[in-house]
Amino acid sequence: RYCIMSSETFHWRCEHTWSRSAKNTFWCLLGCSIGDFGTILFFQYSEYDLAVQYIMILAIINGLLTSIALETVILSKQLGLYEGFKVAIGMSLISMVAMESSMNITDYLMTGGAILTWWAVPIMLFVGFITPWPYNYWRLKKYGQACH
């Protein structure tokens, strides 16, 4: 149902694949945002003083971990905990790192640091969604594999 095609007939016009890849990207964005934003908020409102690049590295790592955890919980309902974890850990790290990096770069460019503001968060989420979405479409279309 994912319109899998050979490399000679690959195209970007399959509405079903765009829809499915958007859902996959959304779930990844939700999982990544929990860890990413939680880390940034912790340092934003705590007494700890850490360089911005270290906060962002921690935010990216925590975003990856929470994304994998969320996907494991979702998949475990269908596959069981062990199989759900194996599928979640095998997700595309390329997509998740691109999402996390684009969100943190956007935050830095807009606020000058690792700072969550009411006006920057929606833009960060938009950039975080739009960055990996074409890759997720490509992977789903070409291989029939959901990245998230």
Side-chain angles (χ1 to χ4, degrees):
R1 177 93 174 131
Y2 293 115
C3 310
I4 301 169
M5 305 203 159
S6 68
S7 60
E8 296 85 35
T9 59
F10 179 86
H11 61 82
W12 295 93
R13 298 178 307 275
C14 181
E15 291 178 27
H16 179 265
T17 305
W18 277 116
S19 175
R20 181 71 239 165
S21 63
K23 290 174 188 167
N24 295 343
T25 304
F26 169 78
W27 283 111
C28 182
L29 183 65
L30 178 63
C32 285
S33 297
I34 292 167
D36 190 300
F37 291 173
T39 302
I40 293 172
L41 283 174
F42 173 80
F43 285 101
Q44 187 171 332
Y45 291 109
S46 74
E47 300 286 323
Y48 293 101
D49 189 25
L50 196 60
V52 172
Q53 64 267 27
Y54 296 123
I55 294 171
M56 290 192 169
I57 290 168
L58 282 172
I60 289 170
I61 291 168
N62 288 336
L64 295 173
L65 292 174
T66 54
S67 183
I68 291 168
L70 177 64
E71 192 69 22
T72 298
V73 168
I74 292 168
L75 290 171
S76 69
K77 296 177 190 300
Q78 302 165 11
L79 306 173
L81 186 60
Y82 179 71
E83 285 300 316
F85 177 73
K86 278 181 28 181
V87 171
I89 204 74
M91 295 181 310
S92 175
L93 286 177
I94 294 169
S95 176
M96 290 189 288
V97 169
M99 176 180 286
E100 284 289 332
S101 299
S102 66
M103 287 171 57
N104 283 285
I105 290 167
T106 301
D107 184 24
Y108 182 79
L109 293 174
M110 294 181 68
T111 67
I115 304 166
L116 297 181
T117 63
W118 66 268
W119 53 271
V121 168
I123 297 167
M124 290 169 63
L125 290 170
F126 175 76
V127 171
F129 178 85
I130 213 74
T131 299
W133 190 19
Y135 173 79
N136 293 344
Y137 173 97
W138 171 79
R139 183 175 167 114
L140 190 60
K141 180 97 170 123
K142 183 146 176 88
Y143 301 109
Q145 296 176 337
C147 299
H148 312 288

